[in-house]
Amino acid sequence: MKIIAEIDIPPETHAAIQLLRNAAFQDHQVNRSYFKQLPHSRMLTYSGEQLIGHMGLDYRVIRVGDAVLKILGVIDFCVSEHARGQGIGSSMLATLSAYAKTRDVDFLMLMSEHTHFYCRHGFQQVTAHHSWLRLHEHQNYGIGFEPLNELLIQPVSGLEWPSGHIDWLGYMF
């Protein structure tokens, strides 16, 4: 497993990420290695030379109520179908948690319908009103504002998650 800055990823790795991502997200196929926006870095897991695990990492601030929080967001987390059930995803989440604890991060954050899996790994489901920049195919089309219940967070710095409206201060991953 390695974490690499987005700017340092070679074209052949982007091609492998695109194949893995598109296989995992059948309803969201794209001709690139990311869905909405380039992440800041990526965690990649290999079996020999074969890419079997990927997660994009987006480091930024968001606003929740009156609090400004530093989050490390997880984007397009996927494990190849033939490697699922072998603890790869769990290992990647444990590595991410350990990585975040040595950095200036308040919370890990992701959006997913698979709440049971993430809650087993220390994430908590948060329901709140959200606002974010709506992006589609490299164009923005306004601000979204609605309640969502697919947000999962994991405390890293010891802060408690505040209550209130969640302003993504940008796009939603």
Side-chain angles (χ1 to χ4, degrees), residues 20 63 107 109 152-153:
L20 178 60
R63 184 177 193 91
F107 293 90
M109 190 167 119
L152 293 137
I153 59 103

Side-chain angles (χ1 to χ4, degrees), residues 7 14 23 31 50 62 92-93 99 132:
I7 201 166
H14 277 290
N31 291 322
Q50 179 74 35
I62 63 168
M92 290 178 75
L93 286 175
Y99 175 82
W132 69 97

Side-chain angles (χ1 to χ4, degrees), residues 80-172:
S80 66
E81 189 172 351
H82 76 275
R84 290 181 194 156
Q86 300 175 27
I88 305 296
S90 296
S91 179
M92 290 178 75
L93 286 175
T95 298
L96 176 64
S97 182
Y99 175 82
K101 286 179 181 172
T102 64
R103 293 182 170 70
D104 189 16
V105 174
D106 295 319
F107 293 90
L108 296 175
M109 190 167 119
L110 58 89
M111 298 292 291
S112 179
E113 298 171 352
H114 304 288
T115 57
H116 181 70
F117 173 74
Y118 292 105
C119 287
R120 283 193 346 244
H121 295 286
F123 284 81
Q124 305 158 15
Q125 191 171 6
V126 174
T127 300
H129 277 83
H130 296 246
S131 58
W132 69 97
L133 177 64
R134 291 184 184 269
L135 296 179
H136 182 68
E137 292 304 314
H138 301 112
Q139 292 186 355
N140 78 64
Y141 59 100
I143 303 297
F145 182 83
E146 61 188 82
L148 299 171
N149 63 1
E150 296 175 342
L151 177 66
L152 293 137
I153 59 103
Q154 183 182 93
V156 176
S157 67
L159 291 178
E160 286 190 38
W161 185 261
S163 62
H165 171 87
I166 299 170
D167 186 342
W168 286 68
L169 302 175
Y171 81 105
M172 181 185 292

